[in-house]
Amino acid sequence: MENIIEIEHLFKSFGDVKAVQDLSFRVKEGELFAFLGVNGAGKSTTINILCGQLPKDSGSVCVCGTSLDKEPDVIKRKLGVVFQNSVLDKDLSVRDNLQSRAALYGIRGREFQIRLEELANQLSFQDLLKRPVGKLSGGQRRRIDIARALLHRPRILILDEPTTGLDPQTRSSLWQVIGQLRSQENMTVFLTTHYMEEAADADFVVILDHGRIAAEGTPLTLKNTYTGDYITIYGQEESQIKRLGAPYQPIRDAYRVSVPNTEAARELILKYPELFADFEITKGKMDDVFLNVTGKKLSGEVK
């Protein structure tokens, strides 16, 4: 896959506050790219620079092979952005909101009608077109936010905490839609999120801390590097678990044993096979990765 976003040695300060410090990363075409960090880590600053809404101090930004310095308007047409807070007009109908947005891209008349029908079918909002946006549920409004971002057929969809405040069923439904967009149109998705299970499904993850990259890699690589494995053992007494000589904690109907990696788990199983009649091995979670890398939870709590 080719690089669709290339950022090199990006710097941005606000007075004495160094929001972004020597930031360099690449996003591959068609991938789900997760950009993680607590509030103030530099995520929003980077996105605003990428979208041409904020000037950088130094460094380079290229999107689809185009330099932000040379052709910012060309880059803006390659991007569709879904902000955490909806930018739709609550008093206007869904159709009127999308029609006014489309006009900004020169999409009018029959062309708009065709595109509206396509998006309404894709995102399942045919029955909402006449309703005021202010009367929609959170999940419905999110679908219209995504439709607004997709009107001009961008190659990159930027999702800034798109599922914050939504119930699990609605979040799952939205991710199904996003997955369809990626598979059908090879769309690149640039995601910020506070839900680590969403980041766990990404193709590549960058974790920011104080404007710098603290860690990056695939979710599996990050888990292998920054967390261990867990063996959950069922049907054994605590005295037997102690024989393993590994840290453990009792859970509802089992014991959860911590090991550095899968190889260590294998060694314990071979050494004490009689204790492993009923067990399962799981990787650490992205929450563990984030906490171990930054010393914080995504809520901002210090380790």
Side-chain angles (χ1 to χ4, degrees):
M1 294 185 293
E2 295 183 356
N3 296 327
I4 197 167
I5 298 175
E6 296 180 333
I7 291 180
E8 295 282 354
H9 304 297
L10 187 66
F11 285 85
K12 179 64 182 179
S13 296
F14 300 95
D16 294 332
V17 178
K18 296 178 179 179
V20 175
Q21 303 181 65
D22 198 19
L23 191 61
S24 298
F25 64 86
R26 289 167 174 77
V27 180
K28 299 289 186 182
E29 183 175 10
E31 76 178 357
L32 172 57
F33 179 93
F35 201 49
L36 308 180
V38 297
N39 292 336
K43 305 189 307 297
S44 295
T45 298
T46 304
I47 289 174
N48 286 333
I49 291 172
L50 180 62
C51 295
Q53 296 182 337
L54 188 67
K56 56 185 173 57
D57 293 341
S58 62
S60 65
V61 177
C62 286
V63 177
C64 303
T66 301
S67 169
L68 180 64
D69 293 331
K70 296 179 179 178
E71 298 183 89
D73 290 337
V74 172
I75 286 181
K76 288 178 183 178
R77 293 190 68 90
K78 304 289 187 183
L79 304 175
V81 186
V82 178
F83 298 100
Q84 181 179 352
N85 297 314
S86 177
V87 296
L88 299 169
D89 189 320
K90 294 182 180 180
D91 295 325
L92 294 181
S93 69
V94 168
R95 180 189 175 88
D96 288 345
N97 262 284
L98 296 178
Q99 189 168 18
S100 61
R101 177 70 178 188
L104 298 176
Y105 291 99
I107 304 171
R108 299 182 176 87
R110 181 62 181 160
E111 183 184 4
F112 167 70
Q113 186 58 39
I114 292 173
R115 185 59 176 150
L116 180 63
E117 290 174 3
E118 289 175 346
L119 291 170
N121 288 328
Q122 249 180 338
L123 297 166
S124 301
F125 61 85
Q126 300 95 325
D127 57 337
L128 303 177
L129 290 171
K130 295 181 180 180
R131 291 181 61 180
V133 165
K135 300 292 185 181
L136 302 181
S137 69
Q140 290 171 334
R141 192 177 303 123
R142 260 293 176 254
R143 278 186 278 160
I144 309 307
D145 279 323
I146 293 173
R148 174 197 56 76
L150 296 175
L151 280 166
H152 59 297
R153 302 182 188 277
R155 292 183 61 185
I156 302 165
L157 181 63
I158 297 176
L159 301 174
D160 188 9
E161 299 184 23
T163 58
T164 297
L166 301 182
D167 62 85
Q169 183 176 356
T170 303
R171 284 168 55 199
S172 176
S173 176
L174 278 178
W175 276 109
Q176 288 178 8
V177 169
I178 293 166
Q180 290 169 3
L181 288 169
R182 292 184 61 213
S183 63
Q184 293 170 4
E185 303 183 20
N186 195 35
M187 180 170 289
T188 303
V189 176
F190 188 110
L191 169 73
T192 76
T193 181
H194 279 180
Y195 295 108
M196 288 287 93
E197 68 269 28
E198 294 179 347
D201 291 331
D203 297 302
F204 198 83
V205 178
V206 164
I207 298 176
L208 284 188
D209 193 26
H210 295 98
R212 296 181 181 274
I213 292 179
E216 61 183 321
T218 66
L220 179 59
T221 298
L222 292 172
K223 289 176 186 178
N224 284 339
T225 304
Y226 295 102
T227 71
D229 287 6
Y230 299 98
I231 314 172
T232 303
I233 302 176
Y234 302 92
Q236 295 291 345
E237 298 294 330
E238 186 172 4
S239 59
Q240 296 298 312
I241 301 298
K242 287 181 178 180
R243 290 172 55 198
L244 298 174
Y248 69 90
Q249 65 178 115
I251 55 178
R252 190 178 184 89
D253 56 354
Y255 291 91
R256 191 171 187 241
V257 180
S258 301
V259 290
N261 49 48
T262 306
E263 176 62 22
R266 187 179 74 87
E267 290 175 359
L268 283 179
I269 294 168
L270 291 175
K271 187 174 181 180
Y272 302 97
E274 68 278 9
L275 301 184
F276 292 90
D278 189 5
F279 71 97
E280 58 185 349
I281 300 176
T282 55
K283 292 284 183 189
K285 297 182 179 180
M286 287 300 296
D287 300 84
D288 302 316
V289 171
F290 192 90
L291 182 61
N292 289 332
V293 167
T294 67
K296 309 178 187 75
K297 296 181 179 179
L298 267 182
S299 62
E301 180 181 337
V302 178
K303 185 177 179 181

PDB file of all heavy atoms in Angstrom, residues 232-244 253-255 272-279:
ATOM      1  N   THR A 232      -6.008 -17.518  32.227  1.00  0.00           N
ATOM      2  CA  THR A 232      -7.134 -17.686  33.143  1.00  0.00           C
ATOM      3  C   THR A 232      -7.326 -19.178  33.370  1.00  0.00           C
ATOM      4  O   THR A 232      -7.578 -19.931  32.420  1.00  0.00           O
ATOM      5  CB  THR A 232      -8.410 -17.063  32.567  1.00  0.00           C
ATOM      6  OG1 THR A 232      -8.172 -15.675  32.279  1.00  0.00           O
ATOM      7  CG2 THR A 232      -9.561 -17.175  33.558  1.00  0.00           C
ATOM      8  N   ILE A 233      -7.192 -19.604  34.609  1.00  0.00           N
ATOM      9  CA  ILE A 233      -7.231 -21.020  34.958  1.00  0.00           C
ATOM     10  C   ILE A 233      -8.498 -21.299  35.772  1.00  0.00           C
ATOM     11  O   ILE A 233      -8.761 -20.635  36.783  1.00  0.00           O
ATOM     12  CB  ILE A 233      -5.983 -21.437  35.766  1.00  0.00           C
ATOM     13  CG1 ILE A 233      -4.709 -21.135  34.965  1.00  0.00           C
ATOM     14  CG2 ILE A 233      -6.050 -22.925  36.122  1.00  0.00           C
ATOM     15  CD1 ILE A 233      -3.428 -21.420  35.729  1.00  0.00           C
ATOM     16  N   TYR A 234      -9.260 -22.289  35.340  1.00  0.00           N
ATOM     17  CA  TYR A 234     -10.520 -22.653  35.992  1.00  0.00           C
ATOM     18  C   TYR A 234     -10.366 -23.988  36.736  1.00  0.00           C
ATOM     19  O   TYR A 234      -9.558 -24.846  36.353  1.00  0.00           O
ATOM     20  CB  TYR A 234     -11.634 -22.790  34.947  1.00  0.00           C
ATOM     21  CG  TYR A 234     -11.863 -21.538  34.129  1.00  0.00           C
ATOM     22  CD1 TYR A 234     -11.187 -21.355  32.921  1.00  0.00           C
ATOM     23  CD2 TYR A 234     -12.747 -20.556  34.556  1.00  0.00           C
ATOM     24  CE1 TYR A 234     -11.388 -20.206  32.165  1.00  0.00           C
ATOM     25  CE2 TYR A 234     -12.960 -19.409  33.808  1.00  0.00           C
ATOM     26  CZ  TYR A 234     -12.272 -19.235  32.615  1.00  0.00           C
ATOM     27  OH  TYR A 234     -12.470 -18.102  31.864  1.00  0.00           O
ATOM     28  N   GLY A 235     -11.139 -24.139  37.790  1.00  0.00           N
ATOM     29  CA  GLY A 235     -11.246 -25.433  38.461  1.00  0.00           C
ATOM     30  C   GLY A 235     -10.067 -25.817  39.328  1.00  0.00           C
ATOM     31  O   GLY A 235      -9.863 -27.016  39.595  1.00  0.00           O
ATOM     32  N   GLN A 236      -9.281 -24.854  39.785  1.00  0.00           N
ATOM     33  CA  GLN A 236      -8.135 -25.153  40.643  1.00  0.00           C
ATOM     34  C   GLN A 236      -8.230 -24.352  41.947  1.00  0.00           C
ATOM     35  O   GLN A 236      -8.800 -23.268  41.979  1.00  0.00           O
ATOM     36  CB  GLN A 236      -6.824 -24.806  39.931  1.00  0.00           C
ATOM     37  CG  GLN A 236      -6.534 -25.632  38.699  1.00  0.00           C
ATOM     38  CD  GLN A 236      -6.221 -27.087  39.016  1.00  0.00           C
ATOM     39  OE1 GLN A 236      -5.944 -27.445  40.169  1.00  0.00           O
ATOM     40  NE2 GLN A 236      -6.279 -27.949  38.000  1.00  0.00           N
ATOM     41  N   GLU A 237      -7.633 -24.914  42.990  1.00  0.00           N
ATOM     42  CA  GLU A 237      -7.562 -24.224  44.264  1.00  0.00           C
ATOM     43  C   GLU A 237      -6.410 -23.215  44.242  1.00  0.00           C
ATOM     44  O   GLU A 237      -5.434 -23.378  43.496  1.00  0.00           O
ATOM     45  CB  GLU A 237      -7.335 -25.226  45.403  1.00  0.00           C
ATOM     46  CG  GLU A 237      -8.442 -26.244  45.576  1.00  0.00           C
ATOM     47  CD  GLU A 237      -9.746 -25.608  46.026  1.00  0.00           C
ATOM     48  OE1 GLU A 237      -9.671 -24.561  46.727  1.00  0.00           O
ATOM     49  OE2 GLU A 237     -10.818 -26.131  45.683  1.00  0.00           O
ATOM     50  N   GLU A 238      -6.498 -22.200  45.095  1.00  0.00           N
ATOM     51  CA  GLU A 238      -5.464 -21.170  45.121  1.00  0.00           C
ATOM     52  C   GLU A 238      -4.100 -21.756  45.471  1.00  0.00           C
ATOM     53  O   GLU A 238      -3.067 -21.306  44.950  1.00  0.00           O
ATOM     54  CB  GLU A 238      -5.842 -20.066  46.106  1.00  0.00           C
ATOM     55  CG  GLU A 238      -4.866 -18.891  46.079  1.00  0.00           C
ATOM     56  CD  GLU A 238      -5.350 -17.712  46.900  1.00  0.00           C
ATOM     57  OE1 GLU A 238      -6.416 -17.836  47.555  1.00  0.00           O
ATOM     58  OE2 GLU A 238      -4.682 -16.666  46.877  1.00  0.00           O
ATOM     59  N   SER A 239      -4.090 -22.773  46.326  1.00  0.00           N
ATOM     60  CA  SER A 239      -2.813 -23.386  46.696  1.00  0.00           C
ATOM     61  C   SER A 239      -2.100 -23.964  45.473  1.00  0.00           C
ATOM     62  O   SER A 239      -0.860 -23.963  45.398  1.00  0.00           O
ATOM     63  CB  SER A 239      -3.042 -24.487  47.727  1.00  0.00           C
ATOM     64  OG  SER A 239      -3.908 -25.497  47.207  1.00  0.00           O
ATOM     65  N   GLN A 240      -2.859 -24.451  44.508  1.00  0.00           N
ATOM     66  CA  GLN A 240      -2.271 -24.995  43.287  1.00  0.00           C
ATOM     67  C   GLN A 240      -1.756 -23.866  42.386  1.00  0.00           C
ATOM     68  O   GLN A 240      -0.703 -23.987  41.757  1.00  0.00           O
ATOM     69  CB  GLN A 240      -3.307 -25.838  42.534  1.00  0.00           C
ATOM     70  CG  GLN A 240      -3.780 -27.067  43.286  1.00  0.00           C
ATOM     71  CD  GLN A 240      -2.643 -28.037  43.562  1.00  0.00           C
ATOM     72  OE1 GLN A 240      -1.859 -28.376  42.678  1.00  0.00           O
ATOM     73  NE2 GLN A 240      -2.511 -28.452  44.825  1.00  0.00           N
ATOM     74  N   ILE A 241      -2.484 -22.770  42.342  1.00  0.00           N
ATOM     75  CA  ILE A 241      -2.067 -21.627  41.520  1.00  0.00           C
ATOM     76  C   ILE A 241      -0.749 -21.054  42.037  1.00  0.00           C
ATOM     77  O   ILE A 241       0.119 -20.653  41.255  1.00  0.00           O
ATOM     78  CB  ILE A 241      -3.163 -20.536  41.507  1.00  0.00           C
ATOM     79  CG1 ILE A 241      -4.472 -21.103  40.955  1.00  0.00           C
ATOM     80  CG2 ILE A 241      -2.708 -19.323  40.705  1.00  0.00           C
ATOM     81  CD1 ILE A 241      -4.389 -21.598  39.529  1.00  0.00           C
ATOM     82  N   LYS A 242      -0.566 -21.068  43.341  1.00  0.00           N
ATOM     83  CA  LYS A 242       0.671 -20.535  43.924  1.00  0.00           C
ATOM     84  C   LYS A 242       1.898 -21.314  43.454  1.00  0.00           C
ATOM     85  O   LYS A 242       2.999 -20.768  43.408  1.00  0.00           O
ATOM     86  CB  LYS A 242       0.580 -20.556  45.448  1.00  0.00           C
ATOM     87  CG  LYS A 242      -0.356 -19.508  46.027  1.00  0.00           C
ATOM     88  CD  LYS A 242      -0.383 -19.584  47.547  1.00  0.00           C
ATOM     89  CE  LYS A 242      -1.280 -18.499  48.139  1.00  0.00           C
ATOM     90  NZ  LYS A 242      -1.315 -18.557  49.621  1.00  0.00           N
ATOM     91  N   ARG A 243       1.718 -22.577  43.103  1.00  0.00           N
ATOM     92  CA  ARG A 243       2.842 -23.406  42.647  1.00  0.00           C
ATOM     93  C   ARG A 243       3.480 -22.842  41.382  1.00  0.00           C
ATOM     94  O   ARG A 243       4.658 -23.092  41.110  1.00  0.00           O
ATOM     95  CB  ARG A 243       2.358 -24.827  42.366  1.00  0.00           C
ATOM     96  CG  ARG A 243       1.981 -25.626  43.600  1.00  0.00           C
ATOM     97  CD  ARG A 243       1.324 -26.949  43.212  1.00  0.00           C
ATOM     98  NE  ARG A 243       2.175 -27.723  42.311  1.00  0.00           N
ATOM     99  CZ  ARG A 243       1.737 -28.722  41.541  1.00  0.00           C
ATOM    100  NH1 ARG A 243       0.446 -29.053  41.551  1.00  0.00           N
ATOM    101  NH2 ARG A 243       2.573 -29.371  40.748  1.00  0.00           N
ATOM    102  N   LEU A 244       2.716 -22.086  40.608  1.00  0.00           N
ATOM    103  CA  LEU A 244       3.225 -21.562  39.334  1.00  0.00           C
ATOM    104  C   LEU A 244       4.305 -20.502  39.538  1.00  0.00           C
ATOM    105  O   LEU A 244       5.106 -20.241  38.646  1.00  0.00           O
ATOM    106  CB  LEU A 244       2.071 -20.965  38.514  1.00  0.00           C
ATOM    107  CG  LEU A 244       0.968 -21.949  38.102  1.00  0.00           C
ATOM    108  CD1 LEU A 244      -0.171 -21.203  37.419  1.00  0.00           C
ATOM    109  CD2 LEU A 244       1.517 -23.030  37.184  1.00  0.00           C
ATOM    110  N   ASP A 253     -14.724 -16.890  39.039  1.00  0.00           N
ATOM    111  CA  ASP A 253     -14.718 -18.345  39.213  1.00  0.00           C
ATOM    112  C   ASP A 253     -13.409 -18.957  38.724  1.00  0.00           C
ATOM    113  O   ASP A 253     -13.367 -20.099  38.266  1.00  0.00           O
ATOM    114  CB  ASP A 253     -15.894 -18.988  38.468  1.00  0.00           C
ATOM    115  CG  ASP A 253     -15.898 -18.636  36.993  1.00  0.00           C
ATOM    116  OD1 ASP A 253     -15.067 -17.805  36.582  1.00  0.00           O
ATOM    117  OD2 ASP A 253     -16.729 -19.198  36.247  1.00  0.00           O
ATOM    118  N   ALA A 254     -12.332 -18.164  38.807  1.00  0.00           N
ATOM    119  CA  ALA A 254     -11.060 -18.630  38.274  1.00  0.00           C
ATOM    120  C   ALA A 254      -9.931 -17.790  38.858  1.00  0.00           C
ATOM    121  O   ALA A 254     -10.153 -16.934  39.722  1.00  0.00           O
ATOM    122  CB  ALA A 254     -11.069 -18.533  36.751  1.00  0.00           C
ATOM    123  N   TYR A 255      -8.718 -18.032  38.365  1.00  0.00           N
ATOM    124  CA  TYR A 255      -7.552 -17.227  38.734  1.00  0.00           C
ATOM    125  C   TYR A 255      -6.902 -16.710  37.454  1.00  0.00           C
ATOM    126  O   TYR A 255      -6.736 -17.467  36.489  1.00  0.00           O
ATOM    127  CB  TYR A 255      -6.557 -18.052  39.555  1.00  0.00           C
ATOM    128  CG  TYR A 255      -7.074 -18.398  40.929  1.00  0.00           C
ATOM    129  CD1 TYR A 255      -7.772 -19.584  41.145  1.00  0.00           C
ATOM    130  CD2 TYR A 255      -6.893 -17.521  41.991  1.00  0.00           C
ATOM    131  CE1 TYR A 255      -8.275 -19.888  42.399  1.00  0.00           C
ATOM    132  CE2 TYR A 255      -7.386 -17.819  43.249  1.00  0.00           C
ATOM    133  CZ  TYR A 255      -8.085 -18.995  43.442  1.00  0.00           C
ATOM    134  OH  TYR A 255      -8.587 -19.292  44.696  1.00  0.00           O
ATOM    135  N   TYR A 272       3.630 -27.705  34.382  1.00  0.00           N
ATOM    136  CA  TYR A 272       2.551 -28.085  35.305  1.00  0.00           C
ATOM    137  C   TYR A 272       1.299 -28.477  34.520  1.00  0.00           C
ATOM    138  O   TYR A 272       0.234 -27.853  34.668  1.00  0.00           O
ATOM    139  CB  TYR A 272       2.216 -26.928  36.249  1.00  0.00           C
ATOM    140  CG  TYR A 272       3.370 -26.440  37.077  1.00  0.00           C
ATOM    141  CD1 TYR A 272       4.112 -25.322  36.683  1.00  0.00           C
ATOM    142  CD2 TYR A 272       3.715 -27.082  38.260  1.00  0.00           C
ATOM    143  CE1 TYR A 272       5.173 -24.861  37.459  1.00  0.00           C
ATOM    144  CE2 TYR A 272       4.777 -26.628  39.048  1.00  0.00           C
ATOM    145  CZ  TYR A 272       5.501 -25.520  38.636  1.00  0.00           C
ATOM    146  OH  TYR A 272       6.544 -25.070  39.392  1.00  0.00           O
ATOM    147  N   PRO A 273       1.355 -29.489  33.685  1.00  0.00           N
ATOM    148  CA  PRO A 273       0.204 -29.821  32.830  1.00  0.00           C
ATOM    149  C   PRO A 273      -1.048 -30.173  33.623  1.00  0.00           C
ATOM    150  O   PRO A 273      -2.174 -29.958  33.148  1.00  0.00           O
ATOM    151  CB  PRO A 273       0.711 -31.022  32.016  1.00  0.00           C
ATOM    152  CG  PRO A 273       1.835 -31.598  32.824  1.00  0.00           C
ATOM    153  CD  PRO A 273       2.488 -30.431  33.489  1.00  0.00           C
ATOM    154  N   GLU A 274      -0.861 -30.708  34.838  1.00  0.00           N
ATOM    155  CA  GLU A 274      -2.019 -31.117  35.636  1.00  0.00           C
ATOM    156  C   GLU A 274      -2.885 -29.934  36.080  1.00  0.00           C
ATOM    157  O   GLU A 274      -4.053 -30.115  36.446  1.00  0.00           O
ATOM    158  CB  GLU A 274      -1.561 -31.906  36.866  1.00  0.00           C
ATOM    159  CG  GLU A 274      -0.796 -31.105  37.919  1.00  0.00           C
ATOM    160  CD  GLU A 274       0.688 -30.905  37.609  1.00  0.00           C
ATOM    161  OE1 GLU A 274       1.114 -31.245  36.476  1.00  0.00           O
ATOM    162  OE2 GLU A 274       1.408 -30.404  38.489  1.00  0.00           O
ATOM    163  N   LEU A 275      -2.336 -28.705  36.038  1.00  0.00           N
ATOM    164  CA  LEU A 275      -3.099 -27.524  36.459  1.00  0.00           C
ATOM    165  C   LEU A 275      -3.882 -26.892  35.312  1.00  0.00           C
ATOM    166  O   LEU A 275      -4.684 -25.980  35.536  1.00  0.00           O
ATOM    167  CB  LEU A 275      -2.153 -26.471  37.060  1.00  0.00           C
ATOM    168  CG  LEU A 275      -1.326 -26.890  38.273  1.00  0.00           C
ATOM    169  CD1 LEU A 275      -0.531 -25.699  38.794  1.00  0.00           C
ATOM    170  CD2 LEU A 275      -2.216 -27.456  39.358  1.00  0.00           C
ATOM    171  N   PHE A 276      -3.658 -27.388  34.096  1.00  0.00           N
ATOM    172  CA  PHE A 276      -4.227 -26.707  32.933  1.00  0.00           C
ATOM    173  C   PHE A 276      -5.259 -27.563  32.205  1.00  0.00           C
ATOM    174  O   PHE A 276      -5.268 -27.662  30.981  1.00  0.00           O
ATOM    175  CB  PHE A 276      -3.105 -26.305  31.978  1.00  0.00           C
ATOM    176  CG  PHE A 276      -2.206 -25.228  32.533  1.00  0.00           C
ATOM    177  CD1 PHE A 276      -1.071 -25.559  33.263  1.00  0.00           C
ATOM    178  CD2 PHE A 276      -2.524 -23.887  32.353  1.00  0.00           C
ATOM    179  CE1 PHE A 276      -0.256 -24.571  33.792  1.00  0.00           C
ATOM    180  CE2 PHE A 276      -1.716 -22.900  32.885  1.00  0.00           C
ATOM    181  CZ  PHE A 276      -0.574 -23.233  33.601  1.00  0.00           C
ATOM    182  N   ALA A 277      -6.148 -28.160  32.990  1.00  0.00           N
ATOM    183  CA  ALA A 277      -7.232 -28.934  32.378  1.00  0.00           C
ATOM    184  C   ALA A 277      -8.245 -28.002  31.705  1.00  0.00           C
ATOM    185  O   ALA A 277      -8.829 -28.338  30.673  1.00  0.00           O
ATOM    186  CB  ALA A 277      -7.919 -29.801  33.433  1.00  0.00           C
ATOM    187  N   ASP A 278      -8.446 -26.820  32.298  1.00  0.00           N
ATOM    188  CA  ASP A 278      -9.412 -25.855  31.759  1.00  0.00           C
ATOM    189  C   ASP A 278      -8.813 -24.460  31.900  1.00  0.00           C
ATOM    190  O   ASP A 278      -8.691 -23.935  33.011  1.00  0.00           O
ATOM    191  CB  ASP A 278     -10.734 -25.964  32.534  1.00  0.00           C
ATOM    192  CG  ASP A 278     -11.858 -25.149  31.889  1.00  0.00           C
ATOM    193  OD1 ASP A 278     -11.629 -24.581  30.801  1.00  0.00           O
ATOM    194  OD2 ASP A 278     -12.949 -25.092  32.490  1.00  0.00           O
ATOM    195  N   PHE A 279      -8.424 -23.872  30.784  1.00  0.00           N
ATOM    196  CA  PHE A 279      -7.752 -22.566  30.844  1.00  0.00           C
ATOM    197  C   PHE A 279      -7.896 -21.839  29.508  1.00  0.00           C
ATOM    198  O   PHE A 279      -8.293 -22.415  28.490  1.00  0.00           O
ATOM    199  CB  PHE A 279      -6.263 -22.743  31.171  1.00  0.00           C
ATOM    200  CG  PHE A 279      -5.461 -23.338  30.040  1.00  0.00           C
ATOM    201  CD1 PHE A 279      -4.742 -22.514  29.170  1.00  0.00           C
ATOM    202  CD2 PHE A 279      -5.436 -24.707  29.823  1.00  0.00           C
ATOM    203  CE1 PHE A 279      -4.017 -23.052  28.116  1.00  0.00           C
ATOM    204  CE2 PHE A 279      -4.709 -25.256  28.774  1.00  0.00           C
ATOM    205  CZ  PHE A 279      -3.992 -24.424  27.918  1.00  0.00           C
TER     206      PHE A 279
END
